[in-house]
Amino acid sequence: MAGQVTVEEFCQASGIGRSVAKDVAEFLVARGIGTSDRGMLRFSGRDRVEAAMLAIQAGCDPEQVSGSLSWKDFEGLASHVLSSLGYKARTNVRFSKPRMEIDVVGIDGAFAVAVDCKHWKRANFSAISTFCAKQAARAQELVRKEPGITQALPAVLTLHAERAAFVGGVPVVPVSKLGSFLADVRTFLPELRVVTRQGPA
């Protein structure tokens, strides 16, 4: 639940008793998820994703947890992480002819990371390969149409994966590892599918 709520509203939304809801709220706030001020709780979209990651780490079913999140929550978190690492972040970057959209783009000079936020249930390898190939095509279009960008790394962000994997050279990154992956991304570039104006690197 994003926005501002009272403890009573938090209790009703979570379906648990007042004392337990209060303990849960205090637990979350103590871990930097949400804020509390005079009986009012405030949660952002980023807080929702961080609470979901915490629930998964505690052993909750990832598919059930992901039902409480939206693709907008993922976009918000990816944008925040990119901005915190010095990238200029843009969301919902659209192109026409061909018509396509990139969820989040992080730009650092002439280099960009093009992120596709996938809010899926567990997918098989064939489906993931298709998602990665489509994201590589979007990254190529980004390089072709944005004059200041000469290289772009396509990436897929997901809730479920336990560790980063590379499918056809495209990283599939769990949301819990996004910050560490992006902080070190340039060291991985020789192994990844970086697209340039001339085609894949």
Side-chain angles (χ1 to χ4, degrees):
M1 134 178 286
Q4 179 174 291
V5 295
T6 64
V7 173
E8 287 74 19
E9 289 168 334
F10 180 75
C11 176
Q12 291 173 353
S14 59
I16 55 181
R18 180 175 164 70
S19 64
V20 175
K22 187 176 178 187
D23 288 345
V24 169
E26 288 173 359
F27 175 83
L28 293 173
V29 171
R31 280 152 185 78
I33 300 171
T35 59
S36 176
D37 181 34
R38 291 178 287 213
M40 296 300 294
L41 303 170
R42 293 177 183 84
F43 296 101
S44 67
R46 186 169 66 101
D47 291 327
R48 290 166 57 94
V49 176
E50 290 180 358
M53 290 188 294
L54 187 63
I56 290 168
Q57 290 164 6
C60 296
D61 176 52
E63 292 189 19
Q64 187 174 9
V65 171
S66 70
S68 66
L69 299 174
S70 72
W71 56 272
K72 274 288 191 196
D73 294 330
F74 279 83
E75 283 183 1
L77 179 69
S79 179
H80 172 80
V81 170
L82 284 161
S83 295
S84 73
L85 292 170
Y87 288 83
K88 179 182 175 184
R90 294 165 52 194
T91 58
N92 308 120
V93 177
R94 294 180 176 92
F95 302 113
S96 58
K97 298 180 184 178
R99 186 176 172 147
M100 52 179 61
E101 180 176 334
I102 301 174
D103 293 334
V104 183
V105 175
I107 303 168
D108 182 13
F111 176 76
V113 180
V115 181
D116 185 24
C117 299
K118 280 297 178 199
H119 182 240
W120 59 41
K121 294 187 181 293
R122 293 186 189 276
N124 62 35
F125 183 79
S126 175
I128 292 171
S129 296
T130 299
F131 296 140
C132 291
K134 287 182 178 179
Q135 189 62 4
R138 293 182 194 110
Q140 188 69 63
E141 198 65 15
L142 176 71
V143 168
R144 191 172 77 83
K145 292 195 172 175
E146 295 279 345
I149 298 172
T150 59
Q151 288 187 312
L153 172 66
V156 175
L157 179 67
T158 180
L159 180 66
H160 300 302
E162 293 178 5
R163 57 187 173 80
F166 306 117
V167 179
V170 175
V172 178
V173 184
V175 69
S176 61
K177 305 292 184 190
L178 181 61
S180 59
F181 174 78
L182 288 173
D184 296 330
V185 71
R186 291 182 190 269
T187 63
F188 298 121
L189 291 183
E191 306 166 38
L192 301 178
R193 184 175 180 177
V194 178
V195 297
T196 68
R197 292 195 191 284
Q198 294 76 38

